[in-house]
Amino acid sequence: MVSIAADSVSVAMPRKSVSLSTVDDRCLHRSIVSFGLSLSRCESKVVPYDYSATIECLEIPLKPQYNGGIIVNPDLRDGGSLGWTPFGNAKVDFRKIGNHNFVVARDRKQPYDSVSQKVYLEKGLLYTFSAWLQVSKGKAPVKAVFKKNGEYKHAGSVVAESKCWSMLGIYFMALISEDTTVEIWVDSVSLQPFTQEEWNSHHEQSIQKERKRTVKIRAVNSKGEPIPKATISIEQKKLGFPFGCEVEKNILGNKAYQNWFTQRFTVTTFANEMKWYSTEVVRGKEDYSTADAMLRFFKQHGVAVRGHNILWNDPKYQPGWVNSLSGNDLYNAVKRRVFSVVSRYKGQLAGWDVVNENLHFSFFENKMGPKASYNIFKMAQAFDPTTTKFMNEYNTLEESRDSDSSPARYLQKLRELRSIRVCGNISLGIGLESHFKTPNIPYMRSALDTLAATGLPIWLTEVDVEAPPNVQAKYFEQVLREGHAHPQVKGIVTWSGYSPSGCYRMCLTDGNFKNLPTGDVVDKLLHEWGGFRRQTTGVTDADGYFEASLFHGCEEKSVPYDYSATIECLDTPYKPQYNGGIIVNPDLQNGSQGWSQFGNAKVDFREFGGNKFVVATQRNQSSDSISQKVNLEKGIFYTFSAWLQVSIGKAPVSAVFKKNGEYKYAGSVVAESKCWSMLKGGLTVDESGPADLYFESENKTVEIWVDSVSLQPFTQEEWDSHHEQSIDKARKGAVRIRVMNNKGETIPNATISIEQKKLGFPFGCAVENNILGNQAYQNWFTQRFTVTTFGNEMKWYSTERIRGQEDYSTADAMFSFFKQHGIAVRGHNILWDDPRYQPGWVNSLSRDDLYNAVKRRVFSVVSRYKGQLTGWDVVNENLHFSFFESKLGSKASYNTYAMAHAFDPRTTMFLNDYNTLEQPNDITSCPARYLGKLRELQSIRVAGNIPLGIGLESHFSTPNIPYMRSALDTLGATGLPIWLTEVDVDAPPNVRANYFEQVLREGHAHPKVKGMVMWTGYSPSGCYRMCLTDGNFKNLPTGDVVDKLLREWGGLRSQTTCVTDANGFFEASLFHGDYDLNISHPLTNSKSSYNFTLTPDDSSPKTQPSLFVLCVRKLPWDIHEHRWCLDTPYKPQYNGGIIVNPDLQNGSQGWSQFGNAKVDFREFGGNKFVVATQRNQSSDSVSQKVYLEKGILYTFSAWLQVSIGKSPVSAVFKINGEDKHAGSVVAESKCWSMLKGGLTVDESGPAELYFESEDTTVEIWVDSVSLQPFTQKEWKAHQEQSIDKARKGAVRIRVVNNKGEKIPNASITIVQNRLGFPFGSAVAQNILGNQAYQNWFTQRFTVTTFENEMKWYSTESVRGIENYTIADAMLRFFKQHGIAVRGHNVVWDHPKYQSKWVTSLSRNDLYNAVKRRVFSVVSRYKGQLAGWDVVNENLHHSFFESKFGPNASNNIFAMAHAIDPRTTMFMNEFYTLEDPTDLKASPAKYLQKLRELQSIRVSGNIPLGIGLESHFSTPNIPYMRSGLDILGATGLPIWLTEIDVKAPSNVQATYFEQVLREGHAHPHVKGMVMWTAYSPSCYHMCLTDGNFKNLPTGDVVDKLLREWGGLRSQTTGVTDADGFFEASLFHGDYDLNISHPLANSKAYYNFTLTSDDSSSQTQPSIFVFSV
């Protein structure tokens, strides 16, 4: 959703967009700018990372990456042996084949006999290594090894082959092979060091390219007019990059776990629940119920699921019955398994791990033959062709020594699988488990590079780190950052799902789903990567536009543009781009389909080496060819490509579209025989209709061979979106600023103003000497541009009109002026190849004189401006013209470039020509011809390699924008910088500005274009073809285009203004350039100013305001709880609080004997603990003395174990001879259980803590003890914090008039007409007909429970005679008043509360009676109740168990669930919260019963609820909270169902308020009902007297209702200066009134504010109020 404060607004957006929603005023961030330091920075010197890798075996190796880095003589060209020596006993030869030098290790006896080079390595640097290897025969694995101080570091390996070169691209250097019979051939070796800073910069660059894009929004009114200053709010709802965590089935029903997980992740993997051993434990009996339930849950929450796994190749992980099967039986079982699981989840998964770990293990290969994995992948592909099939393996990234799963081995297996052809080509994926210990990050990256060369999607599937705690989180972050930044990694899943029995190797949270350090890493990265509903806000510019740089956040529906082009001639053409687009049969796989003869050519359909293509033969006319009919639409951009070959020699071939007798050229290429060349081009058409595509060549003697043809249409919207995506990657960066004061306190609401002083992208205009002395011209120019070219003043005919008399005075003056203004100058030109533009005296020179004159000219002008220009146009337009070639020979241009390079070796030397972009039918300077000339010049070796540049003049008439882009793609494939050097448009005035804008936008957006200069310098005698201004330097329409684009691109001192958020942060996405930064604050009247530069690919740290944090420390309540038994206890909560030596690390310190127990201090597996042995009394134990204070609330926890079996153990405090129980747990042997509880004391004094168990045969083991004191103030603070999170939400309102203008000082009144939190009281039938009672009740409550009217003894007092009239009437009344009803109860387990006829029944009769009762009452009220108390008080009582056996409750719950599967079924019990001494209903016992009930599988999983009656006397509030914590960890909804307090009247209301506040504040409590039904004799407590006037307890209820938003609570205020009003409100239903005193007008609204865990928050985001 986009929120825009305006009237009648529509939003025009590109089809490629992201999800948008309302947020507050924040802006996007990346780089931090710091207070108090200089922010300017120099151009980055960082070496960019080369992600390329080659996985094919080549005849000739590529050049060394990074020119070899620190390797001496990396390509063996510098004197053969320089830098290289034998290693071991190998003999070393230096050989040469053709021009190719390499080194050979022969006569090898040991694996390490090899070649070597000594290098110096530095700690803290990251090294990337690559080499090209060959062996003398066959194939052999070869490893790169680094030997240092006698230790061997394996850098990686490759399977080298004979007769071709293989690339090893990994980490550190000797080269070894176990196969000593082969020679090892080595070439093109590179070892490149990177600092950590550089390594991080590679991450940032890659993330900017791969993970982010720009969104552009335009706000317009109903007339289509732009709306400036409209407020735009964008909230990222979902992370675009798939990032998740593995889970187990314990997430089902665990609300805390579910909330934690779904707030973070977008993908998951089930650890075991889909595996064969889980779904078919017994042969032929499949059970997918758990996996189905989990998949259903994640589907509901929009979380994708990876399928893990179909089969596992490890023999240890098979169903027990599988191992005994014969080969045939196993094959049939496997086939059924694959069909069963794949077809069941067809199309629902993000991918399948098909045969898990089939590089390390071979169970199925051993049983079914070597093709087992291949066949299983094939089956899976047949059953679900569209889902990606993953290999999944460990140690490919983690361990360079593991040759079983090295990248080379992985690639071998992939090659086998890629040959599968079932339902089309198999869709493969690369799964890398990533179970790290100490990560080797350079090896990880290079391994990813190697695998990425396949083009297949890579997922890190099971990421975790097994490392010491002090480095685990750090290593984990390194791995995640590296994976996320790599361009080919398409998703990450961590293997760190929480399990009660312990995580696999690493947890993210504790048992209460509070983050561990590893979880903090995840949250930190999610915040960086766009998770947690990241927010961006701003206002539209003068043209109604708003742009933002955002992380990907939803599926992009439009087709992305493919900027790739191939400039080499290949043996086999690539597949058609875009799968051919609208071309029928683009790869000729279907013979002649779609293709026909054009002209008089004969057409053949041929095949060679598996490649099919079409051939035009017997050609007599240039147009005799092959053709396909297509339909072209006006307004659509078409990008075209095809692969061409001719039968002999070389010949230019063009692609032409014939339409209505007109010929539209789409592009051309110089095709060759014996290899395929790519033609890339494009076109638009002026009217829609059919057209004929054909190919043309003036050389009629050649056959034209055609393959892999593509014609892809794009709408204007899509085309523009390509611009935006590219600009976001290539032209912009993000800045993050935090403002603090000198005390280190964050400053919210500080005003940040960022003004761009200078555009980062070089953009300029040509000038002539008339700018000198013309102040108006100078002002106009210097305000806009960062680069220029002199129209004529540096040309030879200007600087040497008379031979030997050079005059640079004008050029020098112009250069001096622009230097003073920081404007770069392009050198134009050294020579011009057009004979018309030579000095007059040049034409008459002899060849030798001309050569000498040229040599002097080159030396004169190049040395004069050496190192001062951004580039030189060396021999201008030497594709179209050849003056110097005609005089000095065909190498004239080559020699001129060589001279210029010799005189100024660092300045870029440009080719500069026209019609390369402008005219697809100009073969002279087409991209193919341009490339041919570049190849000649690239061989220049004078003062090192010549730095060449591509200059494209760009003199357009009617621009063919798709052709322009494709030509840039083709030339961009060289990797050389491209400049548009002389941009203008010669077109009618009514379209000129439009065409001009199109050209500039296309050039600026293309990632390979590094600068643009317009050929529009003003001259009194008239501009060349186009002016930007008139003679007074007032913009013409073309000048307006320039200013419009400058404002978009960050020029003309563009400003970004915002205020810091609550944490002092401000974030913005900015174009590259120089900036001024001003920070001010209205309250302090203080200002600060800074400057900084944002550059492309800049990795140097940005200086920034120092980050200071003011921390008001309150000790937060720790809701950590663990419900299961662990091998090792957690650390003590609160570091033990006031307990001395809480984790027993200091032996016996603080601990002593209690009673007659013997006390031991033991250690096991590094864990120390204390043991009470030889116990004779229940209280014989261990003890610690503590001092307890009156008025303090203590929370207690400890981890306990018993020596055998299971036994309840209580924690007890002995105070003045009185025992205060703090809590209990059922402790077990062989694992640790957590006891959590609490207490308060009536008077201060010393106390003894000890542990008690009635079972004196067991030892009591104790560890991780904590006793944390809280003041009353702190306790209330916990309640307030929790209420803010769990019970309240924020509302933001903006009031504007019908013009969209903000209205300050508007009056806002918000009335809550219904409480969101369910809160109510029990009632009896006396409410019927009692109007006073009804009025009192309905004004206050939203839920009720009938005290007796639904109970069995009320509805069937006589057997077989049921009477629901009273219950029905009561339900009808409450329904009419919108009050929910809890069902109380189906049956009651207390023998006293049965009808007399029930107690006398036989077992069978009772069973039938119960069955009828359950059916009768549950079906009657099916779907109408807020929940059912099913078997009331079945922990304390057991009437039905005594009759039916121990499963009685289970069976009754199952019956009720079967009849009404959607209604929550509650246990309901007393003393779980009220009395820590009552072990029957302790939280531990309650959990045991819940676990039994959770196994019910009738009509799906049973929706259970936790009912806690809460009949208090003197409440133990800390114990109450800890009981809620323990039960809350189940994730099930908790209700306090029968709250009352039986206490003296002078304290009853106080105690009652304490209980209600504690219940309402706890995040897991979902509703509360008081057991306060009015009658002359209330049960324990009344709220009113007989006239329904409040008693003190009723006053407590009203007081709390007013606090919590009930009783029509009101919130009022006025809008601020920007028309905003904000309020924090309790969840509920609201009426909203808006008025303004001046307008005497009002507006009314209503809305509902709901909790985040149940539904999306509905709120008035921005209201439009018309005055």
Side-chain angles (χ1 to χ4, degrees), residues 570-638:
L570 304 184
D571 290 342
T572 305
Y574 290 162
K575 292 181 179 179
Q577 290 189 315
Y578 312 104
N579 291 321
I582 61 173
I583 295 293
V584 175
N585 188 20
D587 56 0
L588 285 302
Q589 294 301 301
N590 297 321
S592 64
Q593 183 187 356
W595 297 97
S596 60
Q597 173 192 33
F598 193 87
N600 297 312
K602 182 183 175 186
V603 177
D604 289 341
F605 295 90
R606 301 181 188 170
E607 182 173 355
F608 180 77
N611 181 43
K612 297 179 181 180
F613 52 96
V614 61
V615 178
T617 68
Q618 300 178 20
R619 300 173 56 251
N620 298 311
Q621 302 293 325
S622 61
S623 59
D624 287 345
S625 177
I626 57 171
S627 174
Q628 182 162 144
K629 293 190 184 305
V630 292
N631 194 70
L632 303 181
E633 294 179 61
K634 182 180 178 180
I636 297 296
F637 295 74
Y638 293 91

Side-chain angles (χ1 to χ4, degrees), residues 1439-1504:
F1439 173 76
F1440 295 102
E1441 283 74 12
S1442 67
K1443 300 288 187 175
F1444 301 141
N1447 281 324
S1449 288
N1450 283 31
N1451 293 332
I1452 296 167
F1453 270 85
M1455 291 179 206
H1457 174 51
I1459 297 163
D1460 189 357
R1462 295 188 178 178
T1463 295
T1464 303
M1465 302 295 165
F1466 282 82
M1467 282 182 62
N1468 195 48
E1469 195 54 80
F1470 60 92
Y1471 285 178
T1472 306
L1473 301 182
E1474 302 97 293
D1475 188 353
T1477 65
D1478 189 339
L1479 299 187
K1480 289 183 177 177
S1482 69
K1485 290 290 192 183
Y1486 203 114
L1487 286 172
Q1488 281 185 331
K1489 180 59 75 173
L1490 276 177
R1491 289 190 190 104
E1492 291 177 20
L1493 298 175
Q1494 282 182 315
S1495 65
I1496 293 171
R1497 295 291 184 271
V1498 180
S1499 305
N1501 292 341
I1502 186 169
L1504 289 172

Side-chain angles (χ1 to χ4, degrees), residues 540-719:
T540 54
D541 63 17
D543 297 310
Y545 283 108
F546 172 77
E547 295 190 21
S549 177
L550 304 176
F551 278 91
H552 302 151
C554 77
E555 184 182 1
E556 297 180 352
K557 300 298 183 184
S558 61
V559 177
Y561 183 80
D562 185 351
Y563 285 98
S564 68
T566 302
I567 58 177
E568 304 302 324
C569 202
L570 304 184
D571 290 342
T572 305
Y574 290 162
K575 292 181 179 179
Q577 290 189 315
Y578 312 104
N579 291 321
I582 61 173
I583 295 293
V584 175
N585 188 20
D587 56 0
L588 285 302
Q589 294 301 301
N590 297 321
S592 64
Q593 183 187 356
W595 297 97
S596 60
Q597 173 192 33
F598 193 87
N600 297 312
K602 182 183 175 186
V603 177
D604 289 341
F605 295 90
R606 301 181 188 170
E607 182 173 355
F608 180 77
N611 181 43
K612 297 179 181 180
F613 52 96
V614 61
V615 178
T617 68
Q618 300 178 20
R619 300 173 56 251
N620 298 311
Q621 302 293 325
S622 61
S623 59
D624 287 345
S625 177
I626 57 171
S627 174
Q628 182 162 144
K629 293 190 184 305
V630 292
N631 194 70
L632 303 181
E633 294 179 61
K634 182 180 178 180
I636 297 296
F637 295 74
Y638 293 91
T639 186
F640 177 80
S641 63
W643 287 78
L644 302 172
Q645 189 173 158
V646 291
S647 51
I648 53 172
K650 296 183 181 182
V653 181
S654 299
V656 189
F657 288 79
K658 182 179 179 184
K659 189 173 184 300
N660 296 334
E662 180 187 355
Y663 298 87
K664 292 278 270 185
Y665 284 76
S668 63
V669 71
V670 178
E672 299 179 38
S673 62
K674 301 181 181 176
C675 61
W676 292 89
S677 300
M678 184 184 188
L679 183 159
K680 192 168 188 184
L683 77 157
T684 58
V685 292
D686 300 325
E687 61 183 64
S688 300
D692 286 295
L693 158 66
Y694 71 96
F695 299 88
E696 179 181 275
S697 177
E698 292 297 327
N699 186 344
K700 296 172 288 223
T701 66
V702 299
E703 297 175 349
I704 300 175
W705 300 9
V706 181
D707 199 1
S708 292
V709 186
S710 173
L711 184 64
Q712 176 63 40
F714 294 103
T715 64
Q716 181 72 56
E717 190 178 55
E718 289 176 304
W719 201 261

Side-chain angles (χ1 to χ4, degrees), residues 29-271:
H29 78 273
R30 180 95 100 78
S31 308
I32 303 175
V33 181
S34 202
F35 192 15
L37 300 174
S38 168
L39 284 103
S40 60
R41 56 185 198 182
C42 45
E43 185 181 354
S44 171
K45 303 298 183 186
V46 171
V47 176
Y49 183 78
D50 185 351
Y51 284 98
S52 68
T54 303
I55 58 176
E56 303 304 323
C57 205
L58 303 185
E59 290 182 14
I60 299 175
L62 301 182
K63 292 180 179 179
Q65 290 187 313
Y66 312 105
N67 291 321
I70 61 173
I71 294 294
V72 176
N73 191 17
D75 54 4
L76 286 302
R77 297 196 179 277
D78 295 333
S81 63
L82 178 65
W84 295 96
T85 58
F87 192 87
N89 297 313
K91 291 186 179 178
V92 174
D93 292 341
F94 296 90
R95 301 183 189 170
K96 183 173 184 177
I97 298 178
N99 292 321
H100 175 220
N101 296 356
F102 54 95
V103 61
V104 177
R106 62 181 178 85
D107 296 351
R108 300 172 54 252
K109 308 296 184 187
Q110 300 294 328
Y112 53 78
D113 288 342
S114 176
V115 295
S116 173
Q117 182 164 142
K118 293 189 185 302
V119 291
Y120 185 83
L121 303 183
E122 296 183 55
K123 182 179 179 181
L125 293 188
L126 299 99
Y127 292 88
T128 184
F129 175 79
S130 64
W132 286 80
L133 303 172
Q134 189 172 157
V135 290
S136 52
K137 61 179 183 178
K139 296 182 181 182
V142 181
K143 298 176 182 178
V145 185
F146 183 81
K147 182 180 180 183
K148 187 171 186 295
N149 296 332
E151 180 187 355
Y152 294 87
K153 291 276 257 186
H154 285 70
S157 64
V158 71
V159 178
E161 303 182 28
S162 63
K163 300 182 181 177
C164 61
W165 293 87
S166 299
M167 183 183 185
L168 186 158
I170 315 284
Y171 168 56
F172 277 129
M173 163 186 100
L175 297 158
I176 68 171
S177 175
E178 296 292 333
D179 186 349
T180 57
T181 67
V182 299
E183 298 175 349
I184 300 175
W185 300 9
V186 182
D187 196 7
S188 293
V189 185
S190 172
L191 184 63
Q192 176 63 39
F194 293 103
T195 65
Q196 187 66 55
E197 183 179 67
E198 288 176 313
W199 200 265
N200 294 345
S201 79
H202 305 153
H203 289 173
E204 293 166 8
Q205 295 161 29
S206 181
I207 286 169
Q208 191 70 18
K209 290 178 182 177
E210 300 299 327
R211 307 290 180 231
K212 299 181 79 178
R213 61 151 295 185
T214 294
V215 167
K216 188 178 184 185
I217 297 167
R218 196 177 199 193
V220 296
N221 63 19
S222 56
K223 298 177 182 178
E225 299 164 338
I227 300 177
K229 298 184 179 178
T231 299
I232 304 293
S233 298
I234 303 173
E235 180 176 274
Q236 183 156 1
K237 295 192 295 184
K238 186 173 181 179
L239 196 64
F241 179 79
F243 182 50
C245 177
E246 154 268 340
V247 292
E248 296 186 29
K249 62 187 177 184
N250 62 304
I251 198 169
L252 296 175
N254 190 327
K255 192 67 173 176
Y257 192 1
Q258 292 172 359
N259 290 344
W260 181 88
F261 190 100
T262 56
Q263 287 166 11
R264 286 162 174 79
F265 300 127
T266 58
V267 65
T268 190
T269 303
F270 303 165

